[in-house]
């Protein structure tokens, strides 16, 4: 008989509520992530490859006003992370928001958002593997692009299969390189902006470039919303630390620290680095689109081999995203298995505390998606990409709605665990919901690929939801069926 488990049961099975040190060799994850791993996962989680690759298009579309786009989306992510941090600090779980939705909204909600999130990340695996393969093929053309994609996927699969500690160690160094690179870029760039960097080729115009080419809003104030659509998906990944916390020695401390630091992380890495680009170059400089915003900025300073330096950093960001994507997809599959919403094999961990079946199933789908990307890039893979495009916003929306209910549950059952609180509850929660719905609405209004992403993502979500509702109805009928059989 399939009954709905409580959040405590799910958390206990995953080792997330104080039993994380267990290792029974069958269904328990190990607490293999150290505090330094969690800290770097939290810091690096907000730095995706999209920041390096996609920022140039945003600048071209909105001009200096793209800073407001990043600020708006950044604020939305800060609020969502605060809500998620409140729930995760009180009830750490490998299923994170999916497990909380299961408890607060119903089995159907946890099932739907869990599988959508898994789908999102396995598609991301294919995107990032292809992006990394293009860079590597440029360096060593003797190996074909598909060969590099295969090599990258195999290596990171082996890393995740080894132990959670090996995932944490790889991510520690991947994220560390990203953090050091962007921090150095911001510092060096600011020195060049003010004309105090020795040997700089940049004229050091200060803040003049923010307004000297058509003003701060050269494309009109409405371009800020267009910019929001272009940058919103580069923020996906900040929630990974709440899943990883379930495999740490002190999950509550890790989640609290990550939640409290999200503001400065977004401020420095996103707003800080884009601000530097916009002050080093006029927003309409052709090199920003031709070379990429960061390469163009480095070239303006006179740093040699800027393109290759940035390729190394982008490759690191891609590998980091691949590493975390595989980890995240497998842990969500593990949690779904524990709640009876996925095959039972997904809920079993080996002697090393690794959910081997969940990892392999995720990477197999990722391999298939890579194949689709090479075989049918404009049809099958385009459908996969667009049908998962709006999932990030769906996840954030579910987190908000779940937190509205979970606050009362936590206060009623364990108020002492409410160590992280959402600001101005419930007003700011409702305001964040309105922001996310507004972005989705504007995507539909904007038309083109944005509308296609929302519509296809909604269709896939509706299909998964229908399966979840049918599954839940069958589970509710099971007790009566058993009774009838006894009679």
């Amino acid at each position: 008989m399939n009954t709905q488990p409580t959040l405590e049961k799910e958390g206990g099975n995953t080792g997330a509520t104080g039993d994380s040190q267990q290792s029974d060799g069958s269904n328990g994850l190990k607490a293999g992530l150290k505090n330094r791993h969690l800290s770097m996962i939290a810091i690096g989680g907000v730095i995706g490859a999209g920041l390096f690759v996609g920022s140039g298009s945003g600048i071209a579309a909105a001009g200096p006003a793209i800073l407001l786009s990043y600020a708006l989306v950044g604020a939305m992510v800060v609020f969502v992370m605060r809500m998620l941090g409140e729930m995760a600090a009180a009830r750490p779980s490998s299923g994170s928001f999916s497990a909380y939705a299961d408890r607060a909204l119903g089995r159907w909600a946890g099932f739907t958002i869990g599988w959508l999130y898994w789908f999102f990340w396995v598609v991301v695996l294919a995107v990032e593997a292809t992006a990394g393969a293009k860079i590597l093929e440029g360096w060593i053309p003797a190996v074909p692009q598909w060969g590099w994609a295969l090599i990258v996927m195999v290596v990171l699969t082996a890393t995740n299969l080894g132990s959670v500690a090996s995932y944490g160690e790889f991510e520690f160094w991947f994220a560390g390189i990203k953090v050091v690179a962007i921090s150095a870029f911001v510092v060096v760039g600011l020195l060049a902006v003010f004309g105090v960097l020795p040997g700089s080729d940049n004229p050091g115009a200060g803040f003049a470039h923010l307004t000297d080419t058509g003003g701060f809003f050269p494309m009109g104030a409405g371009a800020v919303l267009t910019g929001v659509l272009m940058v919103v998906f580069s923020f996906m990944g900040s929630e990974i630390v709440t899943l990883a916390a379930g495999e740490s020695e002190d999950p509550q401390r890790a989640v609290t620290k990550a939640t409290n630091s999200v503001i400065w992380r977004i401020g420095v890495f996103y707003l800080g680095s884009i601000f530097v680009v916009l002050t080093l170059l006029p927003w309409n400089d052709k090199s920003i689109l031709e070379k990429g915003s960061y390469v163009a900025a480095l070239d303006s300073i006179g740093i040699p081999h800027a393109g290759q330096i940035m390729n190394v950093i982008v490759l690191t960001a891609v590998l980091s995203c691949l590493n975390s994507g595989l980890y995240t997809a497998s842990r969500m599959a593990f949690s779904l298995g524990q709640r009876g919403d996925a095959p039972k094999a997904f809920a079993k961990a080996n002697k090393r505390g690794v959910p081997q079946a969940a990892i392999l199933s995720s990477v197999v789908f990722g391999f298939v998606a890579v194949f689709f990307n090479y075989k049918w890039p404009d049809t099958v893979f385009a459908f996969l990409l667009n049908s998962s495009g709006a999932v990030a916003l769906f996840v954030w929306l579910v987190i908000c709605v779940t937190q509205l209910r979970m606050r009362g549950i936590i206060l009623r059952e364990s108020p002492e665990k409410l160590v992280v609180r959402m600001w101005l509850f419930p007003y700011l929660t409702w305001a964040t919901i309105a922001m996310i719905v507004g972005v989705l609405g504007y995507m539909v209004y904007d038309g083109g690929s944005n509308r296609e992403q929302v519509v296809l993502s909604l269709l896939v979500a509706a299909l998964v939801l229908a399966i979840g509702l049918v599954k839940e109805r069958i589970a509710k009928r099971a007790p009566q069926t058993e009774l009838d059989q006894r009679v």
Side-chain angles (χ1 to χ4, degrees):
M1 185 171 68
N2 196 4
T3 58
Q4 180 173 338
T6 63
L7 186 61
E8 287 82 355
K9 181 180 178 182
E10 198 279 338
N13 285 343
T14 62
T17 57
D19 298 326
S20 58
Q21 307 254 0
Q22 70 173 339
S23 177
D24 59 9
S26 60
N27 66 354
L29 301 179
K30 285 186 177 181
L33 294 176
K34 300 177 181 178
N35 288 333
R36 66 182 178 88
H37 293 152
L38 264 295
S39 296
M40 198 56 74
I41 289 171
I43 294 172
V46 297
I47 309 172
L51 173 62
F52 300 105
V53 178
S55 55
S57 299
I59 292 171
I66 195 68
L67 284 170
L68 296 181
S69 303
Y70 274 102
L72 284 172
V73 178
M76 189 165 67
V77 172
V78 168
F79 297 152
V80 170
M81 278 299 296
R82 188 75 186 182
M83 287 180 254
L84 183 55
E86 175 181 297
M87 297 182 287
R91 307 285 181 85
S93 166
S94 66
S96 188
F97 49 83
S98 174
Y100 309 143
D102 191 309
R103 175 70 190 278
L105 305 179
R107 185 76 172 264
W108 61 271
F111 177 93
T112 304
I113 204 63
W115 276 114
L116 285 177
Y117 192 68
W118 178 87
F119 175 57
F120 171 85
W121 278 110
V122 292
V123 173
V124 167
L125 290 180
V127 175
E128 301 297 342
T130 303
K134 287 181 180 178
I135 296 174
L136 290 167
E137 186 189 29
W139 293 343
I140 308 177
V143 179
Q145 194 177 120
W146 66 265
W148 280 119
L150 181 64
I151 292 170
V152 167
M153 291 280 277
V154 168
V155 169
L156 291 179
T157 300
T159 299
N160 275 264
L161 286 173
S163 69
V164 68
S166 61
Y167 154 73
E169 198 63 33
F170 267 74
E171 191 56 28
F172 175 82
W173 291 106
F174 286 153
I177 292 171
K178 292 188 294 184
V179 169
V180 170
I182 292 192
S183 300
F185 175 80
V186 171
V187 172
V188 171
L190 286 176
L191 291 175
V193 165
F194 293 109
V196 293
L197 181 68
S200 173
D201 294 338
N202 193 278
F207 302 146
H209 289 321
L210 294 176
T211 56
D212 64 4
T213 312
F216 190 75
F217 297 96
M219 311 299 287
V224 173
L225 292 177
T226 303
V228 165
L229 302 187
M230 301 183 77
V231 306
V232 65
F233 301 108
S234 65
F235 283 83
M236 193 64 175
S238 55
E239 72 289 334
I240 291 175
V241 68
T242 64
L243 282 81
E247 293 176 78
S248 67
E249 296 174 355
D250 190 352
Q252 188 180 77
R253 178 178 177 273
V255 169
T256 302
K257 186 176 180 181
T259 303
N260 290 335
S261 65
V262 71
I263 297 176
W264 72 259
R265 286 185 277 134
I266 289 175
V268 171
F269 300 134
Y270 278 84
L271 291 175
S273 61
I274 298 300
F275 176 81
V276 166
V277 171
L278 289 167
T279 48
L280 284 174
L281 292 166
W283 69 271
N284 59 353
D285 191 300
K286 292 181 180 179
S287 64
I288 291 178
L289 274 180
E290 292 172 355
K291 300 178 181 178
S293 56
Y294 292 86
V295 174
L298 291 174
D299 278 343
S300 78
I301 297 173
I303 294 179
H305 311 296
Q308 288 304 319
I309 292 172
M310 194 51 60
N311 272 339
V312 172
I313 297 169
V314 171
L315 179 62
T316 302
V318 164
L319 295 177
S320 173
C321 191
L322 264 172
N323 195 36
S324 289
L326 182 53
Y327 172 84
T328 304
S330 65
R331 267 39 176 198
M332 186 57 72
F334 175 85
S335 177
L336 288 166
Q338 290 229 310
R339 286 176 274 144
D341 291 334
K344 291 182 180 179
F346 288 6
K348 293 184 178 181
N350 59 24
K351 293 180 180 180
R352 297 186 301 276
V354 172
Q356 186 169 306
I359 291 174
L360 291 177
S361 64
S362 300
V363 81
V364 163
F365 194 97
F367 274 125
V368 171
V370 169
F371 172 75
F372 287 155
N373 192 15
Y374 287 109
K375 190 70 175 177
W376 302 290
D378 299 322
T379 52
V380 179
F381 187 72
F383 170 80
L384 290 177
L385 203 59
N386 286 325
S387 60
S388 64
V391 167
L393 291 167
F394 294 169
V395 168
W396 295 344
L397 188 59
V398 167
I399 290 171
C400 296
V401 176
T402 300
Q403 191 260 342
L404 287 171
R405 297 287 301 275
M406 278 299 294
R407 169 67 73 91
I409 294 173
I410 296 170
L411 284 174
R412 189 166 59 251
E413 296 180 357
S414 49
E416 73 283 355
K417 293 183 178 180
L418 198 62
V419 294
V420 176
R421 289 176 179 263
M422 176 59 184
W423 307 296
L424 300 176
F425 178 83
Y427 308 109
L428 199 50
T429 299
W430 280 111
T432 308
I433 290 173
M435 290 171 66
I436 297 171
V437 172
V439 172
L440 286 168
Y442 191 74
M443 287 178 72
V444 175
Y445 170 79
D446 191 56
S449 62
N450 287 319
R451 179 182 296 169
E452 186 177 6
Q453 284 185 25
V454 174
V455 171
L456 288 178
S457 296
L458 282 172
L459 287 175
V460 171
L463 175 62
V464 177
L465 174 60
I467 295 172
L469 290 173
V470 170
K471 193 174 184 300
E472 188 173 7
R473 179 169 293 186
I474 292 173
K476 288 180 178 178
R477 286 181 177 177
Q480 185 62 43
T481 303
E482 291 175 4
L483 181 61
D484 292 341
Q485 287 175 346
R486 292 193 193 99
V487 173

